[in-house]
Amino acid sequence: MAIESILSNVLNVPVLFFFLGMLSTYIKSDLDIPQPLPKLFSLYLLFSIGIKGGVELSHSGLNNEVVLTLGLAILMAFLVPVYSFYALKRKVGIHDAGAIAATFGSISAVTFVTACAFLDGQGVSYGGHMVASMALMESPAIIVGVFLIRYHLKDNEENSNGYGSIIKEALTNGSVVLILGSLLIGLVANEKDLASLEPFTGSIFKGMLTFFLLDMGILAGKRIKSLRQSGSGLLWMSILIPLFNAAVGIACFAIFDLSIGNAFLLTVLFASASYIAVPAAMRITVPEANPGLYVSLSLALIFPFNIILGLPLYFSVLTWIQSVLN
């Protein structure tokens, strides 16, 4: 892995603002992004990547690789929470294990966006259907995580609630609705209307991402204390599980002959963890779980690990495999 790739990713302007946000908490600055702007940034990013993905999907259409990629994404969204849960419940309680496992099985839209920007910088193309893969991976992880919690609880009163509300919460989650809706609109809209949106979906995108990452850095700095108190075993496991998930994505590249751009984004999706959709759902469906753990692990540990080291590492491994296979 070339050191230039790591430095290029670390010195990316949005990433630098993430660390500025973390630094501001350590020096006890009053720097803050006032509400409800952080939510607006989140909605904008989901809207923008959804529209772009729909447009690209309309251009690429359906082929064997598209169907295969979507299938692999959905399969992993169901599998990751299962084996993550059984690994994690040795370290934490059932509620926390289920919530953390759900974050691992779901995805980080901002990590995905950063990965797309990384590929653009490398001059590597990728399909618009990868946005659909991202959107389809959020809901299954929420459903599986909560199901595992309730299945393993011995208290019958906690298991008396039906699963209909869980499924509804997952499918009607705002981020899921927005990104899937934007994807469908981008898929069916005419070129003229889409062109009129371009300054909004294109020109200001990186600026909005920068402010969002600044806010994420502030949050990560405030919540990192929970990670220090959780013990080194949980921290190591929370890095090893995403790395294992990334290895699965890399294996898919070698086995199924995916394009390197699509394989890279699939690997990033497998290795990322949710800090938006899943925490929102867990606060409602599993209030017993500690958000200081499942939010902090995804936001203050896995997210910076992926954007600093993960992206160049995964790309370097995929490039090496491609050179060997060719």
Side-chain angles (χ1 to χ4, degrees), residues 154-321:
K154 295 179 180 180
D155 187 344
N156 291 327
E157 291 184 1
E158 290 195 56
N159 286 292
S160 62
N161 297 326
Y163 298 108
S165 60
I166 304 171
I167 297 173
K168 181 181 178 181
E169 171 65 28
L171 295 178
T172 60
N173 182 274
S175 62
V176 176
V177 171
L178 178 59
I179 195 166
L180 283 176
S182 299
L183 182 74
L184 291 174
I185 292 171
L187 182 63
V188 303
N190 62 61
E191 295 290 339
K192 184 178 180 180
D193 286 341
L194 292 171
S196 66
L197 279 176
E198 197 285 328
F200 187 65
T201 57
S203 300
I204 69 171
F205 179 82
K206 194 167 185 178
M208 294 288 276
L209 174 61
T210 299
F211 271 106
F212 183 81
L213 288 181
L214 173 64
D215 182 63
M216 289 296 98
I218 296 171
L219 282 176
K222 291 177 179 178
R223 294 172 178 170
I224 202 168
K225 184 178 180 181
S226 296
L227 293 182
R228 296 171 181 167
Q229 299 172 343
S230 62
S232 59
L234 179 61
L235 298 181
W236 279 110
M237 191 173 293
S238 298
I239 289 295
L240 292 176
I241 290 176
L243 283 176
F244 175 80
N245 298 340
V248 174
I250 292 170
C252 290
F253 169 67
I255 295 171
F256 299 110
D257 193 29
L258 303 175
S259 70
I260 190 169
N262 292 341
F264 173 74
L265 292 180
L266 195 65
T267 299
V268 170
L269 288 175
F270 290 176
S272 67
S274 172
Y275 51 79
I276 300 175
V278 171
M282 289 297 144
R283 280 197 294 268
I284 298 171
T285 57
V286 193
E288 301 86 352
N290 178 13
L293 290 180
Y294 63 82
V295 175
S296 296
L297 286 172
S298 61
L299 183 60
L301 183 66
I302 300 172
F303 174 65
F305 174 83
N306 274 321
I307 61 173
I308 298 169
L309 296 176
L311 299 188
L313 172 64
Y314 309 148
F315 187 77
S316 296
V317 174
L318 288 167
T319 303
W320 177 79
I321 293 175

Side-chain angles (χ1 to χ4, degrees), residues 74 76-78 80-81 98-99 101-107 136-148 170 274 278 282:
I74 295 172
M76 282 295 286
F78 279 103
V80 171
T103 64
F104 288 176
S106 188
I107 56 86
L136 292 172
M137 288 186 71
E138 283 197 309
S139 296
I142 297 171
I143 298 169
V144 174
V146 179
F147 175 83
L148 287 169
S274 172
V278 171
M282 289 297 144

